[in-house]
């Protein structure tokens, strides 16, 4: 969070507070500054939170996953998420994002 980001970014931030909020704020800042040209952020679909609304109002498109994404711990143990996820897309390739990610869930394009 203390360094500048650049180019294309894939982000799966920590889901705990305040880290997820801080990463959401950093994503928005780096995109607005033009240092990040494309970014995909994977989070839980906590649609009632301020950080989710902040990302959603700045994203070019969002994919709400159909089902839950399975994760593996560094030790190879399966983790069972308690809710679904969302992929936020930032950049000029929203049509391509929608084409690729539509097989994974519902695509929403904020106004």
């Amino acid at each position: 969070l203390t360094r500048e980001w650049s180019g294309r970014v894939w982000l799966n931030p920590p889901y705990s507070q305040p880290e997820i909020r801080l990463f959401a704020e950093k994503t928005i800042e780096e995109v607005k500054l033009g240092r990040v040209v494309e970014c995909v952020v994977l989070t839980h679909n906590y649609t009632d939170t301020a950080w989710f609304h902040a990302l959603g109002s700045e994203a070019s498109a969002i994919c709400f996953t159909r089902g839950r994404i399975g994760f593996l711990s560094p030790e190879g143990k399966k983790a069972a998420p308690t809710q679904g996820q969302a992929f936020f897309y930032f950049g000029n390739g929203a049509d391509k994002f929608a084409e690729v990610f539509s097989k994974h869930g519902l695509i929403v394009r904020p106004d």
Side-chain angles (χ1 to χ4, degrees), residues 13-61:
Y15 291 174
S16 58
Q17 282 289 3
E19 289 82 7
I20 196 163
R21 176 184 54 80
L22 297 173
F23 274 95
E25 291 169 356
K26 178 73 170 177
T27 300
I28 294 165
E29 174 186 10
E30 294 293 334
V31 169
K32 284 185 174 182
L33 289 171
R35 292 193 286 246
V36 169
V37 295
E38 285 189 297
C39 182
V40 175
V41 181
L42 171 62
T43 70
H44 288 316
N45 62 8
Y46 286 167
T47 59
D48 61 331
T49 61
W51 63 261
F52 192 97
H53 281 258
L55 285 173
S57 31
E58 297 295 331
S60 304

Side-chain angles (χ1 to χ4, degrees), residues 65-105:
T65 60
R66 185 179 304 105
R68 297 176 185 164
I69 297 174
F71 293 93
L72 294 176
S73 74
E75 298 79 31
K77 295 181 182 176
K78 290 185 179 181
T82 57
Q83 62 284 319
Q85 288 80 29
F87 290 95
F88 294 87
Y89 173 77
F90 297 83
N92 292 326
D95 289 339
K96 184 67 173 176
F97 172 84
E99 177 187 327
V100 171
F101 277 77
S102 63
K103 64 184 170 196
H104 301 292

